[in-house]
Amino acid sequence: MTMATRPEAMDRTQLTSVVRGLLRDAEDYSEEIGDFRQSSTAAYDGDGYGNEMEGRSQFVTREVRDAIEVAKPGIMRTLFGSHSIVEYAAQQPEDVQFAKDATAWAQYVVYHQNRGYMEFLSAVDDALIRKTGVLKLWWEENETPVQTELTDLTEEDLELLAADDEVTEVEAEETGRTYAPSPIMEDPEQMQAPEPMPLFDATVTRIETKGRLRFQAVPPEEYVIHRKARSIQEARLVGHRRTVTLSDLVAMGYDWDDIEDLAGGSDEDFEIEEEGRSVGNTSDDQEEDGGDPSQREVVYAECWVRVDADGDGIAELRRICVAGAGYKILSDELCDFVPMADICPSPVAHQAIGHSMAELVEDIQKLKTMIMRNTMDSLANAIHPDTEAVEGQVNFDDLLNTEQGRVIRVKQPGMLRYIQQPFVGREVFPIMQYLDTLAEARTGMNEAAQGLNADALQSTATAAIENASMSANSRIEHIARNFVEGGLTDFFKMMLRLARENTERSQWVRKNNRFIEVDPRTWKHDMDVVTTVALGSGTMEQRLMVLRELAQKQEQIIQLAGPENPLAGLEEYRNTLAEIAKLSGIVDVERYLKDPTDPANQPPPQEPPGPNPEEILAQAEAQRVMQDGQLKQQQFELDIWKAIQSDDRERDKMMADVMLRAEKLRQEGVNVNLAGIRTEIEREREGHQHLHNMLQDLNQARQVAGAQQQQAPQQPGPGTGPAGGM
C-alpha cells in the first residue's frame, strides 16, 4: 500500500494541471452522454435513421415528440400555474413576515426581472428530451451613466464633485453671477468685505451601479460534471463550458494583455451537438475573426472545483475560470456553493445524470417507423403494381407515362400484364396497437392527458375515464415533483443566498398590484423552502370539490359557534376560498380576498361603547355630589385660611402694641423682658404655622389624586362590556 505524501500548496502550474485533468475527464463524460442526447434530439425532430432507400418510404413516426408535447403543458401548468413553485418558511416567529416578503421578492425576480417562464421552459424541454435541464444563477451589476443639471455652484463645489469617485465628467459654464459670502465677525475694526465668487452651472455625469439577480438555462452540451458525481454541490468538478469571443472576455473584466495570446476554437463534438439541437444551420461560415481580433473565438469554462490548493489537507471549493486550448487560468477564488441547479424527469439513484422522457419511447418510435415504412411500401405496391411487358411489342413511352387514363399502344393483345401484390397492412394493425399501449404504459400519456374524443366519451365508462385521467395527471405531477425536489428547491435557496450577499440597499417589489419595500440583507439565508406542488392528491376537479365542501362546513361552524370559535374562524375560511381561487386560475387572490395577516388590512381599534342614559344620569349625579363636596371642602379651607390670616393680623397688631408699651416702660426706668415677650409670641405663631402647613399638604394630596383619576382608564359599567349586549 502506497503511503500518501503530505500535501503542499500548489503553484499556478500545478493547479492548472489538476484543473485540466478534471475538466478533460468531465468533457469526455459529457461527450459520452452527448451521444444519447443527440439520438433523443434526432428522434424528437423526426430525423431519419440513415437506412433510407431511394424509391422506398422514408416516413418517420413522432412518438417522442407526441409524448413530450402532451406532457409539457401539464408540467408547466403544475409548476407555474396560479401559485408559486415554492414558498419560504420562517424558522422563528419573528421571521414570519420576512418569509412572506422573500416569497413575494422571489416571484417578482423570476417573472419580472428575468424571462422566468421561458428559461424554466427551456430547462424543462432539455430535461424531457436530453436527460438534464440546468439553471445557472449569478449576480449582475449594470453601470448606467446618469446626467444631472446643477446651478449656482462655486469653484469649491466643482472641486468636490470632481473628487467624487462615482462622477465621470463635470461640464461647467460660468453664469456671470457672483456670490458674496458673509464676513467672519472676529475683529469689527479689521473686518473687510470678502471678494465675490463666480457661480457656475454644471452638467454632472455620474455612474449609477444597480445590481440584480439573473439566471439562465444552460444548454446541455455546455454543461460538464465529474462522472462520479452524485449531485452538483458534491461534485469534484462542475462547469459551464462555452465558446466566447475575446470581446466577451474583456466585457467580463479580463485584461486584454492576459487573453490576446489565447488560442483554440470551439470543440467539434461541442459544435455538432449544438447544431443538432438547433433549428436550421447555425454554423458561421466566415473567417474565424473576420478581420476583427476581438471576435476571435476561444473555449471558456467557468468551473467550480474541489481542490486542496493551499496544502492544508482539505479540498476547498474554488471558482476557477480557464480559457483556450491550454486551459489557461484567468481567475481563481474561494466560494461557498455552486450557483447551478439541475432537474431530471427520471433521476437515477446515486448519479447526477438520469434518464429523459424521450428514452422511454425512442425504441418504440424506431420500431413503429420501420413497420409504417413497410406498410406504406406494401400499400404503394398494391395501388401501383409492377408491370410485365414484352420487349418490342409495347410502346414504352406510353407505358412510362403516369397520366390518368393514358393509352398504352401494343402490337398484339397479351403483351402487357400487371403483377398484383396484396396489401398486408391489416396484419400489422394489432402490432401497432400493442406498441401504442406500450408507449402509454411507459409514459402515462394517454387520450385522457390530451382530451378524449366524442367516440371515446360515448363508449367509455365514467370510472374508466377518471382512472385514465388520474393516471396521466399522476405521472405529470410525479415529474413535476422530481423537478422541484431535485433542483428547483436548491435554486430558490441559492436565490436567497445571492441576494443577501450582494444587495446593497432595500428595493421595491410588486405584490398583487401593490408595492412593498423589502431588504434581503435582513433575511436569514437558511430559511426553509416549502414545496407547493401537490403529489398524489387527485385531479384538480376533485380538489375543488373537496375544498368547496370544506368551505360549506366552515360556514356552518361560523354560523353556529361564531367567528371566534376554536375550530374554524374567518382566517381559515379565507384560506379555503383563496385556495379555491388559485386552483381556478386566479393569480391575484388579494384582489378579491384580503389577507387578514397583512398589517395594512387590519381594522382600526374600536372605541369602547358609550354609556346608556341611566349611566349618564348616575354619573352626572355622582359628579354633582362630588362637586358639592369639593365646594364645601374648599369653603371650609377658605374659612380656616381667613381665620389664620385674621389671627396673624391681630397677633401682629398686639405684638406692635406690646412692644410700644414695653418701650415706654423701659424709658420710665422699668425693667421689661422684651426677648421673652418675643419668644412667647413666636411660639404661638409656630402653632398656627403647623396648621397652615397641614392645609397645604391636604391641598397638594387632593391635586395628585385628581390627576391620577383623570389618567386611569375608565372601567366599563354593567352592560357596557363585550358581553353586555348578549
Side-chain angles (χ1 to χ4, degrees):
M1 183 177 179
T2 305
M3 296 293 292
T5 59
R6 187 177 184 85
E8 296 180 356
M10 298 181 183
D11 55 20
R12 183 53 64 94
T13 302
Q14 293 172 322
L15 184 60
T16 302
S17 177
V18 172
V19 174
R20 183 189 301 117
L22 291 173
L23 186 54
R24 282 179 176 174
D25 183 68
E27 289 174 345
D28 293 340
Y29 180 57
S30 178
E31 292 176 5
E32 297 171 10
I33 301 298
D35 294 337
F36 296 99
R37 292 197 296 252
Q38 292 181 49
S39 176
S40 298
T41 302
Y44 177 82
D45 293 335
D47 296 341
Y49 292 96
N51 56 358
E52 291 78 13
M53 293 185 295
E54 185 71 24
R56 303 291 294 272
S57 174
Q58 299 183 9
F59 179 79
V60 178
T61 60
R62 296 293 190 95
E63 277 68 30
V64 172
R65 176 181 286 271
D66 293 343
I68 291 175
E69 292 302 321
V70 170
K72 194 186 302 182
I75 293 173
M76 297 302 294
R77 182 173 59 250
T78 303
L79 291 176
F80 309 100
S82 58
H83 57 79
S84 58
I85 305 175
V86 296
E87 294 179 354
Y88 294 105
Q91 295 182 341
Q92 301 292 334
E94 60 271 14
D95 298 333
V96 172
Q97 187 59 42
F98 290 153
K100 292 183 178 180
D101 292 345
T103 301
W105 167 84
Q107 291 290 103
Y108 184 79
V109 169
V110 168
Y111 293 113
H112 297 280
Q113 292 187 350
N114 292 271
R115 298 171 63 249
Y117 180 83
M118 297 306 301
E119 297 299 337
F120 281 120
L121 179 62
S122 299
V124 169
D125 195 69
D126 289 336
L128 295 177
I129 303 173
R130 308 172 189 93
K131 292 179 176 291
T132 305
V134 182
L135 293 164
K136 177 185 175 184
L137 305 95
W138 72 95
W139 187 264
E140 181 181 84
E141 290 188 350
N142 296 322
E143 294 183 349
T144 305
V146 178
Q147 290 187 345
T148 306
E149 302 287 341
L150 301 177
T151 60
D152 293 340
L153 300 179
T154 63
E155 293 181 351
E156 184 179 357
D157 296 333
L158 295 177
E159 293 176 358
L160 292 176
L161 288 174
D164 192 342
D165 295 336
E166 296 183 354
V167 175
T168 59
E169 185 180 2
V170 179
E171 297 181 359
E173 181 180 356
E174 191 170 354
T175 62
R177 298 186 296 273
T178 59
Y179 167 70
S182 301
I184 301 176
M185 300 292 293
E186 292 183 354
D187 189 355
E189 297 180 357
Q190 301 179 0
M191 182 182 65
Q192 296 180 357
E195 296 182 0
M197 295 184 295
L199 296 178
F200 301 84
D201 291 342
T203 301
V204 180
T205 303
R206 185 186 304 271
I207 299 298
E208 285 190 0
T209 302
K210 293 184 178 180
R212 61 170 179 165
L213 191 144
R214 297 292 309 278
F215 67 91
Q216 190 177 37
V218 178
E221 66 273 8
E222 297 182 2
Y223 171 65
V224 293
I225 189 170
H226 194 269
R227 63 175 67 243
K228 293 185 178 180
R230 296 188 176 185
S231 66
I232 287 181
Q233 301 301 328
E234 298 176 358
R236 288 190 62 187
L237 179 139
V238 179
H240 180 200
R241 179 196 58 168
R242 61 192 187 275
T243 301
V244 299
T245 62
L246 297 184
S247 174
D248 296 331
L249 293 178
V250 173
M252 294 178 191
Y254 298 113
D255 190 81
W256 178 265
D257 296 335
D258 296 333
I259 63 175
E260 63 177 347
D261 59 344
L262 292 176
S266 57
D267 190 2
E268 264 184 48
D269 295 328
F270 179 83
E271 288 185 346
I272 290 174
E273 186 173 355
E274 180 182 6
E275 292 176 6
R277 178 179 52 82
S278 304
V279 177
N281 184 11
T282 58
S283 60
D284 192 356
D285 296 331
Q286 68 175 8
E287 298 181 6
E288 182 180 355
D289 56 12
D292 184 0
S294 67
Q295 297 303 309
R296 187 167 77 245
E297 293 183 343
V298 296
V299 175
Y300 173 77
E302 184 181 8
C303 305
W304 289 266
V305 189
R306 294 192 179 275
V307 59
D308 181 20
D310 54 6
D312 62 353
I314 300 176
E316 297 87 10
L317 182 62
R318 310 184 73 89
R319 177 180 175 271
I320 301 176
C321 298
V322 299
Y327 298 93
K328 180 180 179 180
I329 295 180
L330 301 180
S331 64
D332 175 21
E333 59 184 0
L334 288 171
C335 57
D336 298 330
F337 63 97
V338 181
M340 300 180 77
D342 60 343
I343 58 177
C344 180
S346 181
V348 176
H350 318 301
Q351 289 187 7
I353 304 296
H355 296 300
S356 67
M357 191 175 186
E359 298 175 34
L360 300 177
V361 292
E362 192 174 341
D363 57 339
I364 296 177
Q365 174 172 318
K366 187 174 183 180
L367 185 56
K368 288 187 66 176
T369 296
M370 298 300 105
I371 295 175
M372 285 298 298
R373 285 180 178 180
N374 292 328
T375 302
M376 297 301 292
D377 289 339
S378 176
L379 179 62
N381 288 332
I383 297 175
H384 304 285
D386 296 336
T387 306
E388 183 183 76
V390 179
E391 187 175 1
Q393 300 297 317
V394 179
N395 190 323
F396 279 89
D397 291 336
D398 295 343
L399 182 62
L400 296 177
N401 185 11
T402 59
E403 294 180 359
Q404 295 289 335
R406 68 187 183 276
V407 176
I408 302 176
R409 290 170 288 182
V410 297
K411 292 186 177 180
Q412 57 181 336
M415 297 296 102
L416 180 66
R417 184 172 66 91
Y418 292 101
I419 303 174
Q420 296 291 336
Q421 297 289 340
F423 174 61
V424 296
R426 287 182 291 271
E427 284 74 9
V428 303
F429 288 160
I431 300 177
M432 299 290 287
Q433 186 177 4
Y434 166 74
L435 293 177
D436 291 337
T437 304
L438 183 60
E440 291 180 3
R442 290 184 180 181
T443 63
M445 298 299 107
N446 47 42
E447 291 181 336
Q450 49 188 322
L452 294 172
N453 55 41
D455 295 335
L457 287 174
Q458 293 177 0
S459 60
T460 307
T462 304
I465 297 174
E466 292 180 354
N467 291 334
S469 178
M470 184 176 298
S471 174
N473 291 334
S474 297
R475 184 62 63 92
I476 290 174
E477 289 181 350
H478 176 70
I479 295 175
R481 190 62 177 263
N482 288 340
F483 287 169
V484 174
E485 298 292 348
L488 295 183
T489 298
D490 295 335
F491 174 84
F492 282 92
K493 286 183 178 180
M494 288 184 284
M495 282 185 60
L496 189 65
R497 200 163 182 176
L498 284 172
R500 289 188 72 257
E501 294 176 356
N502 296 279
T503 301
E504 296 182 354
R505 61 180 66 89
S506 61
Q507 52 186 294
W508 291 90
V509 300
R510 187 167 61 248
K511 176 184 178 183
N512 297 330
N513 293 325
R514 62 185 182 89
F515 285 88
I516 60 174
E517 186 177 10
V518 299
D519 190 354
R521 296 171 297 179
T522 62
W523 301 338
K524 295 182 179 179
H525 71 276
D526 56 350
M527 283 186 188
D528 294 331
V529 178
V530 180
T531 303
T532 60
V533 177
L535 180 64
S537 54
T539 63
M540 183 179 299
E541 290 74 14
Q542 291 173 338
R543 297 175 201 166
L544 285 172
M545 184 182 301
V546 172
L547 287 172
R548 291 190 181 105
E549 293 179 356
L550 179 60
Q552 293 177 1
K553 296 296 183 182
Q554 290 174 334
E555 291 174 359
Q556 295 175 4
I557 293 173
I558 294 175
Q559 290 176 358
L560 295 176
E564 302 297 333
N565 70 85
L567 184 58
L570 294 179
E571 183 175 352
E572 290 76 15
Y573 182 62
R574 186 263 180 195
N575 294 336
T576 304
L577 297 180
E579 192 65 24
I580 292 175
K582 289 180 180 179
L583 290 177
S584 301
I586 298 177
V587 179
D588 187 4
V589 177
E590 292 194 8
R591 184 178 179 182
Y592 307 96
L593 298 169
K594 292 182 178 180
D595 185 1
T597 61
D598 192 344
N601 296 331
Q602 297 296 329
Q606 296 182 355
E607 298 182 358
N612 54 37
E614 296 179 355
E615 292 175 352
I616 295 177
L617 182 60
Q619 292 177 1
E621 183 65 21
Q623 291 178 358
R624 187 184 63 78
V625 173
M626 184 181 299
Q627 291 176 357
D628 291 343
Q630 291 177 353
L631 290 175
K632 292 180 179 180
Q633 181 68 23
Q634 293 175 359
Q635 184 63 39
F636 175 72
E637 293 177 1
L638 181 60
D639 293 341
I640 295 177
W641 280 110
K642 290 181 177 180
I644 293 174
Q645 292 177 356
S646 176
D647 185 70
D648 287 342
R649 288 195 299 271
E650 293 294 333
R651 186 174 294 104
D652 292 341
K653 182 178 179 181
M654 181 183 65
M655 180 62 182
D657 185 52
V658 168
M659 293 303 295
L660 180 60
R661 292 181 180 181
E663 181 62 26
K664 289 182 178 180
L665 292 174
R666 187 181 64 80
Q667 291 178 1
E668 293 176 358
V670 178
N671 188 12
V672 180
N673 187 4
L674 296 177
I677 295 172
R678 288 194 183 94
T679 301
E680 187 65 25
I681 294 174
E682 290 298 330
R683 185 181 296 112
E684 293 183 4
R685 188 187 299 276
E686 288 178 359
H688 289 278
Q689 184 64 32
H690 176 68
L691 181 59
H692 183 274
N693 294 337
M694 288 180 61
L695 290 175
Q696 287 184 342
D697 294 340
L698 180 61
N699 189 25
Q700 292 179 358
R702 185 181 299 105
Q703 293 177 356
V704 172
Q708 292 178 351
Q709 186 176 4
Q710 292 179 356
Q711 295 177 359
Q714 184 177 0
Q715 299 296 329
T720 62
M726 294 185 62

